[in-house]
Structure formats: C-alpha cells, structure tokens
C-alpha cells in the first residue's frame, strides 16, 4: 500500500512563523496521523532528534522525537503540557533544524513530567530524564514560540554571530524573491 504523505519544508530562523504560539489539536483523526508521520519523515531526513509543528509551518501543538536515533523509538506528543521540571540543571550542546550550523550550550533541568496525548487521542503522563527530557523541553519551547537564540548565553551569541547574520540575510533574500517574482 502506498500513501501520499505531505513533504514538509523546514521553516528557518528568523521566519516570524516560528514566533507564533501554536494552537491545541482538537481532532484525533487520520489527518493528524498523516501530519505526525510526515513530521517524523522530515525529522529523519534532516538527521534531527526532534521536530515541532511550527518548524514545518503548522501552528499546532504537535512534537515528534527520537532521542535515541533507534528504529522503533519514534515518539509523537500531541498537546504536551510540562507539569513540572525537576532535577539538577545541566548544560548541554543543542542544535535546531531551524538554525542550521548553530550550536549552543543550553542550561535545562534534567527531568520533566509531561502530560500529552498520543495520536489516537489517549492521554498519557510520563517522566522524561536526561537527553530525552532535553529534547522534549527544546521542542516544547517551539510550541510557545521560544527559540534557541532566546536561551543562548551572550558568549554563544557572539560565537554564532556570523551564522545567525547569514540566516537573517538568506531569509531577507527569500522574502525579496517572493515579493518580486521574476
Ligand atoms: Zn528546534
């Protein structure tokens, strides 16, 4: 059986779409399942460990992840809510598919307890720790319109200055092309 899945294009910084808070999902149907599978496909093609709906232009509270990179470890969290963040804060390098070639040491609590729905509409509460917890917190930020640059230390901002400026320049180029098609 072959199925047509949408092919998503990544939304890159500083596209304002990344700043819009996402809306809760209200219907758990085939369309949602298709979106989740297409998001997972995009994430794997881009060698990412997590992806949030705003990164493919959708203002919906959906995040997908596979922190281990192992086949069969794909996760989909719909309408996630972080109930609590606990544990020691740790620094770890993070990247983001919306910020190609940008890396920064980000401080986050080690554990988080999350309530979410699976694509079939079943409610779950799960505790994440270590790298999985970091991925959940990073992707959850996207649903709130919070980005890597907001959590970067001033030193990392300086270190990534050129790459960030290039991303802004490329975005402006794209906008210009869209506004005045040849
Ligand atoms: Zn990201």
């Amino acid at each position: 059986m072959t199925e047509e899945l949408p092919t998503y294009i990544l939304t890159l910084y500083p596209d304002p779409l990344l700043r819009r808070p996402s809306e809760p999902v209200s219907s758990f149907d085939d369309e949602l399942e298709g979106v989740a599978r297409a998001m997972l496909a995009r994430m794997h093609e881009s060698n990412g460990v997590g992806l949030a709906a705003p990164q493919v232009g959708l203002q919906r509270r959906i995040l997908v992840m596979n922190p281990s990179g192992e086949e069969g470890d794909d996760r989909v969290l719909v309408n996630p809510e972080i109930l609590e963040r606990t544990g020691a804060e740790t620094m770890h390098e993070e990247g983001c598919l919306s910020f190609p070639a940008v890396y920064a040491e980000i401080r986050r609590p080690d554990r988080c307890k999350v309530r979410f729905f699976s694509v079939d509409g079943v409610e779950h509460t799960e505790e994440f720790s270590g790298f999985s917890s970091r991925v959940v917190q990073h992707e959850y930020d996207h649903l709130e319109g919070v980005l890597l640059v907001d959590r970067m230390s001033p030193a990392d901002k300086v270190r990534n200055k050129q790459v960030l400026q290039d991303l802004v320049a490329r975005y402006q180029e794209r906008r210009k092309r869209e506004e005045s098609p040849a």
Side-chain angles (χ1 to χ4, degrees):
M1 191 176 89
T2 54
E3 241 181 303
E4 281 294 314
L5 280 183
T7 304
Y8 288 136
I9 294 168
L10 290 172
T11 305
L12 302 182
Y13 175 83
D15 195 315
L17 284 176
L18 291 171
R19 289 298 189 186
R20 285 198 208 152
S22 293
E23 299 292 329
V25 169
S26 52
S27 26
F28 294 81
D29 50 14
D30 290 350
E31 192 262 347
L32 175 67
E33 209 182 310
V35 167
R37 275 193 293 139
M39 283 176 63
L40 282 163
R42 174 76 271 172
M43 179 191 82
H44 286 299
E45 277 161 29
S46 307
N47 297 312
V49 291
L51 183 72
Q55 295 181 277
V56 291
L58 305 171
Q59 308 311 128
R60 301 167 72 177
R61 300 186 77 82
I62 308 165
L63 65 85
V64 301
M65 57 185 226
N66 185 331
S68 72
E70 303 281 336
E71 215 176 306
D73 278 353
D74 286 350
R75 303 292 310 269
V76 180
L77 278 62
V78 182
N79 297 343
E81 225 182 303
I82 297 185
L83 302 175
E84 57 182 29
R85 302 177 201 239
T86 53
E89 294 207 339
T90 54
M91 294 279 273
H92 197 279
E93 190 178 74
E94 292 184 21
C96 178
L97 293 179
S98 296
F99 288 81
V102 173
Y103 298 95
E105 293 283 326
I106 308 289
R107 182 186 294 279
R108 297 190 192 272
D110 186 58
R111 310 175 76 85
C112 63
K113 193 199 258 182
V114 185
R115 180 163 59 210
F116 62 94
F117 293 84
S118 38
V119 273
D120 53 8
V122 176
E123 189 182 310
H124 305 264
T125 301
E126 190 173 328
E127 186 146 320
F128 294 88
S129 64
F131 188 57
S132 300
S133 164
R134 180 167 289 276
V135 175
V136 171
Q137 292 179 68
H138 176 113
E139 302 311 332
Y140 181 84
D141 273 352
H142 278 295
L143 304 182
E144 301 291 310
V146 174
L147 300 174
L148 204 58
V149 274
D150 307 327
R151 298 207 183 272
M152 261 185 205
S153 68
D156 271 334
K157 266 189 195 156
V158 171
R159 208 163 51 79
N160 285 287
K161 195 173 169 200
Q162 189 58 54
V163 192
L164 289 168
Q165 280 175 351
D166 289 348
L167 281 169
V168 171
R170 254 180 279 163
Y171 174 73
Q172 285 165 348
E173 273 298 308
R174 276 198 305 281
R175 286 296 302 269
K176 225 183 285 169
R177 272 202 305 273
E178 282 162 17
E179 277 162 22
S180 53

